[in-house]
Amino acid sequence: CASAASRTMPTFATRPATCTASCATWPSTRPAVPPPKKPNPDDVQLIGVLGKVGLGGFIGQLDKQVEWERVLSGGEQQRLSLARALLYRPDTLYLDEATSQLDLGSARGLLEMLRRELPRCTVVGVTHQEGLARLFDRTAELERLAEPV
C-alpha cells in the first residue's frame, strides 16, 4: 500500500460505492439518495438518514435540481453515499476510502453510527485513516510487494 503522501486519491467517478454516478444521473437530491433500483423513500425516511449522516442542512432542498456533484464537497458526497447505505440496508457493505474526505472524528462517528444502525451488515472497509482500524472486528494491513525484476 502506498503511503498517504505519495498516492493519488481516486476520483469519485471511478468508485461504485459513492454517489457521484447517481448524482450525475439524477438532477435532484431526492432520487440520488436511494440506490437506483430501489423505490424512492418517503420524506420522513430521507430526512432521517440525511440527519444521521450530517446532511440535515440539505433537507429543505430535496426537490432542488442542480448538478449536485458540483455543489456537494467530497466529504458531503461521502456522507450521501452512507445515507444511501442506511436506506438500502445491505447485508454486506464495501467501503473503499469512504470517509477519506472527512476529519478523523467525523469518520469515526459515521462508522460507529453505521455499526449501530446496520448491526447485521458485514462491513469491509479500506482506509488510510489512522485510528479507524479499532472500529472493525478484524483488520489486515496490506503492503506493496517488491516489483519482479
Side-chain angles (χ1 to χ4, degrees):
C1 178
S3 72
S6 67
R7 66 183 171 81
T8 304
M9 289 303 293
T11 62
F12 282 97
T14 62
R15 298 294 188 181
T18 60
C19 74
T20 300
S22 293
C23 290
T25 303
W26 304 101
S28 76
T29 308
R30 183 179 303 279
V33 177
K37 295 187 181 196
K38 293 289 279 188
N40 287 337
D42 62 34
D43 286 358
V44 172
Q45 292 171 304
L46 286 174
I47 290 168
V49 298
L50 289 175
K52 286 178 183 177
V53 299
L55 294 176
F58 290 98
I59 290 171
Q61 300 179 48
L62 289 176
D63 294 313
K64 186 174 181 181
Q65 295 192 12
V66 297
E67 294 182 53
W68 287 103
E69 71 276 9
R70 295 180 188 263
V71 173
L72 299 175
S73 69
E76 289 168 333
Q77 290 180 38
Q78 289 180 327
R79 289 173 184 274
L80 186 58
S81 69
L82 296 176
R84 292 174 66 201
L86 289 175
L87 288 170
Y88 186 56
R89 307 189 69 75
D91 293 328
T92 306
L93 184 60
Y94 296 92
L95 302 177
D96 185 3
E97 299 290 350
T99 58
S100 63
Q101 300 292 313
L102 302 171
D103 64 86
L104 184 59
S106 296
R108 184 180 299 119
L110 283 168
L111 292 175
E112 289 171 346
M113 180 270 305
L114 277 179
R115 176 169 246 172
R116 282 190 313 274
E117 296 290 323
L118 304 173
R120 295 192 170 128
C121 180
T122 299
V123 177
V124 178
V126 177
T127 186
H128 286 87
Q129 289 176 287
E130 297 290 326
L132 295 183
R134 71 170 181 79
L135 299 175
F136 294 88
D137 296 328
R138 293 181 219 143
T139 61
E141 191 167 325
L142 305 178
E143 296 179 15
R144 183 177 301 272
L145 298 176
E147 296 291 324
V149 188

